Amino acid sequence: KNRDSVKVNPNDIFLTSGASEAVEMLMRVLIRSNNDAVLTPIPQYPLYSALTTVLDGYFAGYYMGDETKWELNMAEVKKALFDARNLGKTVRAMVVINPGNPTGSVLSIENMKEIINFCVEEKLLLLADEVYQRNIYTGKSPFISFRRVANQMG
């Protein structure tokens, strides 16, 4: 509760020996064949692209850029989703790294709400990788978790 101001049920907590192990476990559940895909940001920590390759999945990358101050451009995300679906891929989830790695950027609440709504509409599991929450390089945008934003949205 300290981080998000949202009550946590201890039975909902799953511990692993590290973030990489947790990501690998989730990716193994999500990618069952070469027809399965996970929307993943570019640039990103290479764990996601490496696991997608090892698990023989389809890498559905969406580009982030300096022109949007590293916010997610939803048109770019939708393009990646529809491109993968047009190839017959089943997109199962969307990875969001916040704060970004390697950029250190923090998403705005408005952008996070767009992402949450998009995942609900498209029936995608949202993988909010927030392991870098203390690696913020500017004081302009404080870190706020997706859990907190989703809880406030209802």
Side-chain angles (χ1 to χ4, degrees):
K1 186 171 178 175
N2 290 342
R3 186 187 83 166
D4 297 322
S5 300
V6 177
K7 190 172 182 173
V8 176
N9 180 341
N11 294 324
D12 293 337
I13 297 173
F14 185 79
L15 298 178
T16 63
S17 62
S20 294
E21 181 184 352
V23 169
E24 182 177 354
M25 291 171 100
L26 284 169
M27 295 289 279
R28 285 188 181 280
V29 169
L30 292 167
I31 299 175
R32 300 173 227 167
S33 76
N34 61 4
N35 285 320
D36 292 332
V38 175
L39 291 169
T40 307
I42 301 171
Q44 44 92 17
Y45 180 67
L47 175 65
Y48 296 97
S49 52
L51 282 170
T52 301
T53 301
V54 166
L55 298 170
D56 197 30
Y58 178 78
F59 183 79
Y62 62 87
Y63 290 90
M64 299 175 66
D66 190 35
E67 65 280 352
T68 60
K69 298 181 184 169
W70 303 103
E71 290 263 317
L72 271 74
N73 178 334
M74 292 310 296
E76 183 65 35
V77 175
K78 289 175 184 177
K79 179 185 180 314
L81 173 71
F82 296 125
D83 286 351
R85 285 182 175 166
N86 285 337
L87 291 172
K89 306 302 178 185
T90 301
V91 181
R92 299 194 179 279
M94 178 178 176
V95 173
V96 179
I97 305 171
N98 184 46
N101 179 12
T103 66
S105 63
V106 178
L107 298 176
S108 69
I109 291 174
E110 293 77 24
N111 199 208
M112 294 169 77
K113 287 179 180 179
E114 283 181 298
I115 294 161
I116 292 166
N117 285 328
F118 173 76
C119 287
V120 169
E121 290 167 11
E122 297 298 335
K123 296 179 177 43
L124 300 174
L125 176 68
L126 175 59
L127 299 179
D129 183 337
E130 298 175 336
V131 72
Y132 303 105
Q133 62 190 273
R134 298 198 190 274
N135 297 10
I136 299 172
Y137 304 116
T138 68
K140 295 177 184 174
S141 300
F143 170 78
I144 299 170
S145 72
F146 270 92
R147 182 172 188 264
R148 184 175 185 179
V149 173
N151 187 270
Q152 290 171 346
M153 290 172 70

